[in-house]
Amino acid sequence: MTRYNQQQIVSEIGDIGQIKLKNAKVLIIGAGGLGTPVAVYLTSIGIGTLGIIDGDIIQETNLNRQFLYYENEIGKSKITVLEKKLKLQNPHIDVTKFECFLSLENSTKIITNFDVICDCTDNLETRLLIDQTCSLLNKPLVYAGVKDWEGYVTILNHRSKIRLHNIFPFESLAKDALTNCSISGIVNTTCGIAGSIQATEVIKIILEQENQLDGEILCFNSKEMVFKKLKLLKIKSVVNKSKIKLTI
């Protein structure tokens, strides 16, 4: 298929890699500022099955960063609109939509059917549930967070078996939840940068390439154009079962 000619020239992809991409099943949780660019790139590269879960509707405040939604679609289901546009972009992939929010009741049933999971949410309770379910089912989780000009991306529950609570104490996560993008604001390109990196890490997992962010976290500030990778080291503690020590 000539659609994928340019990427198949890349030595790490080729014909075999393209087959791996076609056979892969990726779940995107959250169809917003992060989920939109992730979905676009994974669709265009030829991921065979793309699952997307979101129970929200399109609002006017979404339009500045969730670029596949238009003004005349305000009030419509995000997941329904996104599915149609992704199928127009690449009719050769399967898009499985879940028009609901992830919950204790459905998380295991949904996540178990996919190979790689993308956390594109902005809700603390949901993030913790995703991390817990992926650990239970042994699913690699590509995680990203954004706020104003800043973002961070890492891979959880892969070869290093690092989990969300290992990196961020609950108190830190709770505080961040109180200052999420709905309060502190977000620059739309910050979502694009983080989402592009998320999609790249998903592709590398499927192609069985080395993932530098498995055991490390990428932090960036797009205003200052500073990108740093911090190594994540598990250390034992008498008080807590495990902690993470950050070293540059």
Side-chain angles (χ1 to χ4, degrees):
M1 185 182 294
T2 57
R3 171 186 288 267
Y4 305 120
N5 279 357
Q6 289 302 109
Q7 64 196 44
Q8 287 182 258
I9 296 172
V10 178
S11 59
E12 290 83 2
I13 300 181
D15 294 338
I16 295 176
Q18 196 62 52
I19 292 172
K20 289 180 179 178
L21 294 169
K22 179 177 175 55
N23 291 334
K25 297 179 179 181
V26 179
L27 177 66
I28 299 171
I29 304 175
L34 288 170
T36 303
V38 172
V40 167
Y41 280 116
L42 295 184
T43 296
S44 59
I45 204 170
I47 296 297
T49 300
L50 195 65
I52 309 174
I53 177 170
D54 199 307
D56 209 353
I57 62 170
I58 300 167
Q59 302 178 53
E60 186 175 8
T61 54
N62 301 147
L63 302 182
N64 75 309
R65 64 194 182 282
Q66 301 173 26
F67 51 79
L68 283 187
Y69 307 133
Y70 306 149
E71 190 163 351
N72 63 350
E73 295 165 335
I74 291 173
K76 294 183 179 180
S77 161
K78 282 186 178 181
I79 203 74
T80 300
V81 172
L82 186 57
E83 178 200 23
K84 290 179 181 178
K85 292 182 179 179
L86 294 177
K87 290 294 289 182
L88 285 173
Q89 183 191 49
N90 189 347
H92 305 288
I93 71 164
D94 293 324
V95 179
T96 303
K97 65 177 183 177
F98 301 92
E99 194 170 347
C100 60
F101 294 107
L102 200 72
S103 66
L104 281 170
E105 291 72 29
N106 64 23
S107 61
T108 301
K109 183 178 179 180
I110 293 174
I111 289 176
T112 194
N113 295 311
F114 294 88
D115 305 316
V116 186
I117 313 302
C118 282
D119 183 350
C120 298
T121 66
D122 60 2
N123 176 278
L124 173 59
E125 185 177 349
T126 305
R127 286 189 181 276
L128 293 172
L129 176 61
I130 295 168
D131 179 60
Q132 178 182 342
T133 308
C134 286
S135 177
L136 178 68
L137 299 175
N138 197 30
K139 301 287 185 179
L141 170 61
V142 184
Y143 175 93
V146 291
K147 185 175 69 173
D148 49 62
W149 299 89
E150 300 175 354
Y152 46 88
V153 185
T154 188
I155 297 174
L156 304 173
N157 196 49
H158 197 30
R159 295 187 180 94
S160 65
K161 298 302 179 185
I162 291 175
R163 292 185 57 188
L164 181 61
H165 72 266
N166 297 136
I167 306 174
F168 305 108
F170 179 81
E171 294 80 6
S172 174
L173 286 168
K175 181 180 178 181
D176 190 56
L178 294 174
T179 57
N180 63 25
C181 64
S182 65
I183 299 173
S184 63
I186 182 70
V187 178
N188 61 359
T189 52
T190 306
C191 295
I193 295 168
S196 296
I197 296 170
Q198 264 189 297
T200 301
E201 294 304 309
V202 170
I203 293 164
K204 287 159 61 179
I205 290 173
I206 294 167
L207 296 176
E208 300 177 271
Q209 297 294 310
E210 183 180 357
N211 291 90
Q212 284 78 13
L213 296 187
D214 182 11
E216 299 187 14
I217 184 168
L218 176 67
C219 308
F220 68 86
N221 183 311
S222 58
K223 180 182 178 183
E224 305 296 333
M225 276 302 158
V226 174
F227 288 73
K228 291 182 180 180
K229 279 198 304 180
L230 306 177
K231 191 173 182 61
L232 303 171
L233 300 175
K234 279 189 178 182
I235 58 175
K236 292 183 179 180
S237 170
V238 175
V239 179
N240 299 314
K241 290 183 179 180
S242 62
K243 290 183 178 179
I244 289 292
K245 182 180 180 182
L246 299 181
T247 57
I248 296 178

